[in-house]
Amino acid sequence: MATMGSLAFVTDHTTIESPVLLKNRRRLKIPLFAYYRPRKSLLDTAFVCCNTKIVGSRRGWRVKATGEKGSGGDASGDTDEALQVVIEKSKKLLAKQRDLLQQIAERREIIASINNTKINSEKDEISSEEEGESFLELDSNLPNDIYTRENPSTSKSYDIHTSKSGFKSPPKTYLDEDFKNKTQSTNSERATTYELPPFVSDISTTYKELEDTNESPLHHVEDVPDVPIGDDLKSPPLAGPNVMNIILVAAECAPWSKTGGLGDVAGALPKALAKRGHRVMVVAPRYGNYAELHDTGIRKRYMVNGQDMEVHYFQTYIDGVDFVFIENSMFQNLGSNIYSGNRTDILRRMVLFCKAAIEVPWHVPCGGICYGDGNLVFIANDWHTALLPVYLKAYYHEHGLMQYARSVLVIHNIAHQGRGPVDDFSYTDLPPQYLNLFKMYDPIGGEHFNIFAAGLKSAYRIITVSHGYAWELKTTEGGQGLHNIINEHDWKLTGIVNGIDKTEWNPESDIHLTSDNYTNYSLQTLHTHKPQCKAALQHELGLPIRADIPVIAFIGRLDNQKGVDLIGEAIPWMMDQDVQVVMLGTGRPELENMLRGMEARYRDRVRGWVGFSVKMAHRITAGADVLLMPSRFEPCGLNQLYAMSYGTVPVVHGVGGLKDTVEPFDPYRETGLGWVFERAETGRLIEAVGNCLLTYREYKESWVGIQRRGMMKDLSWENAACQYEEVLVAAKYQW
Ligand SMILES: Nc1ncnc2c1ncn2[C@@H]1O[C@H](COP(=O)(O)OP(=O)(O)O[C@H]2O[C@H](CO)[C@@H](O)[C@H](O)[C@H]2O)[C@@H](O)[C@H]1O
């Protein structure tokens, strides 16, 4: 084996010594490099440093050629040259190694200082409790290396490298103006004697209430006497140094509450963010008695329109995400109709929800430790939670509180804006100078109050759920009255296409396909098992069981947005095409009646299921051949993504996220994922469905190609989560 080829076999003569590393390795009985796992390439380089001795000294590292040969080595004339190359590589390696050691040292220092603070903090707690005052705030310098935890409801042990020392107990005060210029670790020292603003909840009560329930918010934390660096330190997070605390706040969250795509996103995106190493929480209202939750015992009171209201916080931990639910009688008993009630009912609910959600990182210990506000980004969603960015600024930042917390607002649908008469402003309990944020004028509504407008202006960043929709939002038609604001804030707008939750929506493991003759399927079994699902669907819906007849489906809210009326107009034409049509949806009464009418008229070929059934949505997606989405606008659209991953071919109006995600089928190049028509008109829909049916019937190979490409497309949340992270980081560093 010649020269550099010999690199493959020598590790025997490589010694990497660092006094710190070796000492710790011996003490903790861990192998070299287990402290922090560098990338594989780095390790490879480390172990191929043949004939090289790397020696750590007080002054640093040295690389020394030993001149020894590895077993089987070959002393050719190239040795010097090879040695030089190796030395250069070793130098690079050592530089990286030094960085790692530096990180270890820093981490140790942090943890040591936390342990010290813990002692001081406990002393402070005792003294402030004596004065009848306590204040919970997470030290913003707490490390974020909480890579793994167990569900607090099932276990009380946590693999975290921090302790309850993260809490400080300054008096009921808020921080002075100088705050911005100081490091967060000095915040408590700099606390002054100002009174808390009246709208901020009485933080001092948290401990007392927990004492009443004999429960400490820290009861899950095991004391960590020694710094647990070593084997139990997991691989570094994908997010690297960007790891942060993220709290997604939404009016609905699947599987507990869902009326549409917002619920899906709130249930899935956080899991993908958590996988990247962030500490992630979802906060949603508790509309029902959800089985998985436990009562944290935390109670808080907030004023809403002059009424004092108490909220209870419930919590669970699933798939790496903390889910916190806020309970109040206003949320309870809404059943599945979570947006029911009149305008001011909903407004009052959302005011309370946003007020209670924003303080969750202060009050609700998840896994024993509150998130704190030091390294925190809130993700608010749609108008329901668009008050959160406003409150964050008005209630907290302006009073020196939560100075490092940021908010990002996601637009899932601009059509719903939280509009009302200007007098509605009084419900927000904001100082009068904030009215201008909400005041809007348009030719239809005249002067009015608009929550989405205020949220867009106040958020540090704005995300919407596709690139196409990001563009449309800036147009008069797409922005639905908010286009000027969106244009003004264009610099903070990013389009990120939604993903799909592969644990929920995966034909290989879909739990709704395991009974009633449905079956799971994959690319390999597409040709046999998907037809079985089709037959099961036809059977379940009482339609003739025919393999050769195309089943065309629609699933969604029955709303003007979704273009369901276009399907209604196209139905007579479709009935001449020998197809079966299956529609599932709820919404506008006239459209629900349209579904019922179509079924009554074409009983042997049409099913119009009026209702909300997650199980049927899955089964239809699996059993149908074609999915129609003639939406007039569609910010992203999830059903076409689900359809493609189930080998069901979408026919969509080329708008917003539909245009971004469904590449039109090109019969010449055999590329594309479905059919895309240019205008939301019945004629265009008919033309696209006609071409689709022709391919289905006459060009079977092309059809299977479309199905397979859809199933193979990476539609997972991982990619989107990575893009979210970039936006969250941008928000975090924005003042
Ligand atoms: N009757 C029914 N029974 C069972 N399930 C039903 C149902 N009606 C709808 N669903 C389900 O609700 C979800 C709807 O998601 P969409 O993204 O298509 O629409 P929606 O307009 O609600 O969401 C908004 O937010 C999402 C998320 O960002 C954007 O994708 C979208 O463009 C935007 O309009 C899907 O999971 C669908 O299966």
Side-chain angles (χ1 to χ4, degrees):
M1 202 177 292
T3 57
M4 293 304 288
S6 64
L7 290 178
F9 55 77
V10 263
T11 57
D12 318 29
H13 302 286
T14 303
T15 43
I16 301 181
E17 295 168 8
S18 148
V20 180
L21 200 60
L22 288 178
K23 185 170 148 240
N24 291 333
R25 180 156 63 103
R26 271 195 297 274
R27 183 168 64 79
L28 297 167
K29 296 192 184 64
I30 57 172
L32 191 64
F33 292 108
Y35 296 94
Y36 186 100
R37 282 180 215 154
R39 283 197 308 274
K40 187 171 178 298
S41 58
L42 187 56
L43 287 176
D44 290 346
T45 319
F47 289 114
V48 295
C49 296
C50 70
N51 306 340
T52 306
K53 190 162 186 172
I54 304 164
V55 183
S57 72
R58 274 176 196 281
R59 269 177 282 141
W61 295 86
R62 280 180 294 126
V63 179
K64 207 165 74 177
T66 63
E68 297 167 29
K69 290 178 220 142
S71 58
D74 153 8
S76 75
D78 297 337
T79 306
D80 287 348
E81 203 182 317
L83 192 60
Q84 273 310 318
V85 174
V86 172
I87 288 171
E88 283 311 309
K89 277 193 172 181
S90 300
K91 279 181 184 169
K92 284 183 191 155
L93 164 69
L94 286 169
K96 286 182 182 169
Q97 193 70 30
R98 204 166 23 235
D99 279 355
L100 298 178
L101 283 167
Q102 180 67 28
Q103 286 181 31
I104 292 168
E106 282 170 8
R107 185 167 298 220
R108 285 182 161 278
E109 267 178 34
I110 289 170
I111 297 172
S113 82
I114 288 169
N115 285 336
N116 290 338
T117 316
K118 176 178 148 186
I119 296 159
N120 296 335
S121 168
E122 278 164 359
K123 282 186 200 152
D124 289 351
E125 270 170 31
I126 294 163
S127 62
S128 60
E129 275 169 18
E130 278 165 7
E131 293 161 24
E133 290 174 322
S134 74
F135 185 106
L136 284 180
E137 189 188 333
L138 188 69
D139 189 322
S140 48
N141 272 347
L142 268 178
N144 269 297
D145 50 357
I146 301 172
Y147 303 147
T148 58
R149 297 189 308 156
E150 289 174 49
N151 187 340
S153 56
T154 57
S155 168
K156 299 195 174 188
S157 92
Y158 284 83
D159 176 18
I160 51 178
H161 308 291
T162 184
S163 73
K164 63 180 176 182
S165 58
F167 295 94
K168 293 181 294 196
S169 311
K172 202 165 71 176
T173 57
Y174 67 96
L175 304 166
D176 68 15
E177 273 306 302
D178 220 357
F179 185 95
K180 276 186 202 168
N181 306 322
K182 309 298 168 192
T183 62
Q184 288 167 288
S185 58
T186 60
N187 286 347
S188 64
E189 294 155 26
R190 303 199 57 80
T192 68
T193 55
Y194 297 124
E195 283 301 307
L196 269 179
F199 37 76
V200 174
S201 77
D202 184 359
I203 300 161
S204 65
T205 58
T206 300
Y207 261 133
K208 291 193 192 115
E209 285 155 2
L210 286 165
E211 279 165 7
D212 289 347
T213 62
N214 286 329
E215 194 177 3
S216 157
L218 307 174
H219 71 288
H220 296 308
V221 182
E222 287 183 346
D223 220 3
V224 186
D226 203 357
V227 181
I229 293 179
D231 281 344
D232 50 355
L233 182 63
K234 300 293 180 280
S235 303
L238 290 171
N242 294 328
V243 161
M244 62 185 97
N245 295 337
I246 299 170
I247 301 185
L248 185 143
V249 183
E252 54 186 89
C253 176
W256 297 279
S257 52
K258 165 172 161 177
T259 67
L262 171 59
D264 284 348
V265 174
L269 167 64
K271 292 178 193 167
L273 287 168
K275 276 193 198 145
R276 296 191 58 75
H278 302 286
R279 193 179 181 201
V280 188
M281 183 198 293
V282 176
V283 183
R286 182 171 179 260
Y287 298 111
N289 298 323
Y290 309 136
E292 302 83 351
L293 312 188
H294 72 270
D295 189 345
T296 62
I298 313 278
R299 314 272 185 262
K300 288 284 144 199
R301 306 192 77 83
Y302 296 92
M303 297 295 285
V304 177
N305 198 31
Q307 207 181 334
D308 189 13
M309 297 195 166
E310 186 175 74
V311 295
H312 298 193
Y313 295 89
F314 288 72
Q315 199 246 335
T316 191
Y317 178 74
I318 297 172
D319 290 342
V321 177
D322 292 302
F323 291 90
V324 170
F325 290 85
I326 294 175
E327 185 194 77
N328 174 271
S329 55
M330 286 204 290
F331 304 125
Q332 277 286 338
N333 306 320
L334 290 178
S336 54
N337 210 355
I338 63 179
Y339 301 111
S340 61
N342 63 32
R343 192 191 77 255
T344 54
D345 289 340
I346 305 173
L347 178 54
R348 287 169 68 249
R349 287 207 290 273
M350 294 312 153
V351 167
L352 177 65
F353 177 52
C354 289
K355 284 185 174 187
I358 210 165
E359 292 195 357
V360 166
W362 278 358
H363 303 312
V364 183
C366 293
I369 306 243
C370 290
Y371 276 47
D373 57 49
N375 180 20
L376 177 67
V377 182
F378 288 101
I379 304 179
N381 294 276
D382 274 351
W383 82 264
H384 326 116
T385 45
L387 277 172
L388 191 146
V390 188
Y391 287 155
L392 181 64
K393 284 201 165 160
Y395 283 5
Y396 300 89
H397 289 179
E398 301 243 324
H399 297 272
L401 295 164
M402 296 203 183
Q403 286 287 300
Y404 296 92
R406 296 288 177 266
S407 63
V408 170
L409 180 57
V410 184
I411 306 173
H412 298 269
N413 194 338
I414 204 81
H416 306 282
Q417 302 178 357
R419 291 163 66 117
V422 175
D423 288 349
D424 277 0
F425 177 70
S426 63
Y427 288 92
T428 64
D429 297 317
L430 285 161
Q433 65 269 27
Y434 284 90
L435 175 60
N436 277 341
L437 279 181
F438 293 84
K439 241 190 204 170
M440 290 279 300
Y441 178 87
D442 66 33
I444 302 165
E447 195 171 63
H448 68 275
F449 163 84
N450 192 309
I451 292 181
F452 223 149
L456 292 170
K457 290 177 202 167
S458 305
Y460 286 80
R461 295 280 152 165
I462 304 167
I463 293 175
T464 193
V465 289
S466 69
H467 309 282
Y469 197 54
W471 182 86
E472 288 167 15
L473 284 170
K474 290 180 244 170
T475 64
T476 317
E477 203 184 10
Q480 309 217 10
L482 295 178
H483 54 283
N484 284 335
I485 293 174
I486 290 166
N487 276 300
E488 279 162 29
H489 294 264
D490 184 27
W491 62 273
K492 60 184 185 187
L493 174 67
T494 308
I496 302 174
V497 174
N498 289 330
I500 65 178
D501 185 346
K502 295 298 276 183
T503 57
E504 291 287 321
W505 289 91
N506 183 346
E508 288 186 55
S509 54
D510 190 325
I511 55 164
H512 304 291
L513 304 182
T514 53
S515 54
D516 302 329
N517 284 332
Y518 290 89
T519 181
N520 292 118
Y521 59 93
S522 63
L523 259 182
Q524 285 67 40
T525 54
L526 173 69
H527 60 296
T528 51
H529 289 32
K530 188 168 166 66
Q532 185 180 327
C533 289
K534 177 169 164 175
L537 179 69
Q538 290 168 326
H539 175 73
E540 184 169 9
L541 297 179
L543 290 166
I545 300 174
R546 281 177 54 193
D548 61 320
I549 190 168
V551 174
I552 302 178
F554 169 89
I555 302 165
R557 290 181 293 107
L558 301 180
D559 188 86
N560 185 46
Q561 171 191 347
K562 301 292 179 184
V564 204
D565 51 319
L566 302 182
I567 301 178
E569 287 168 14
I571 277 286
W573 173 84
M574 283 193 217
M575 293 300 97
D576 289 340
Q577 309 305 308
D578 193 22
V579 298
Q580 293 174 347
V581 174
V582 176
M583 299 181 70
L584 169 68
T586 50
R588 286 172 175 258
E590 69 274 17
L591 293 171
E592 290 185 348
N593 285 337
M594 186 188 90
L595 256 60
R596 293 188 188 101
M598 285 179 347
E599 176 171 323
R601 186 153 173 218
Y602 305 102
R603 264 215 80 76
D604 58 334
R605 278 163 290 170
V606 175
R607 286 293 171 271
W609 183 309
V610 175
F612 196 93
S613 165
V614 172
K615 181 173 85 174
M616 280 320 296
H618 283 250
R619 289 181 166 185
I620 293 170
T621 305
D625 297 295
V626 178
L627 183 88
L628 297 185
M629 286 189 74
S631 307
R632 292 200 161 77
F633 68 95
E634 195 60 80
C636 176
L638 293 171
N639 284 322
Q640 84 281 10
L641 304 181
Y642 300 148
M644 290 190 287
S645 71
Y646 279 63
T648 302
V649 176
V651 176
V652 304
H653 175 211
V655 70
L658 297 175
K659 194 172 182 180
D660 283 8
T661 56
V662 183
E663 184 197 336
F665 170 59
D666 180 339
Y668 301 106
R669 294 190 297 138
E670 289 290 347
T671 57
L673 302 163
W675 276 265
V676 182
F677 54 97
E678 289 305 320
R679 285 204 297 273
E681 294 169 0
T682 310
R684 300 290 179 131
L685 170 65
I686 287 174
E687 190 185 341
V689 173
N691 288 330
C692 170
L693 294 178
L694 180 70
T695 308
Y696 175 86
R697 293 201 166 102
E698 306 293 334
Y699 302 94
K700 290 282 181 205
E701 274 185 28
S702 294
W703 185 262
V704 173
I706 297 169
Q707 287 181 301
R708 292 177 66 84
R709 284 192 292 278
M711 289 179 80
M712 286 190 291
K713 197 170 163 64
D714 179 10
L715 300 167
S716 67
W717 267 108
E718 271 75 43
N719 186 25
C722 195
Q723 295 174 56
Y724 265 76
E725 186 180 292
E726 281 176 25
V727 176
L728 300 181
V729 169
K732 182 173 146 183
Y733 291 110
Q734 189 190 315
W735 281 91

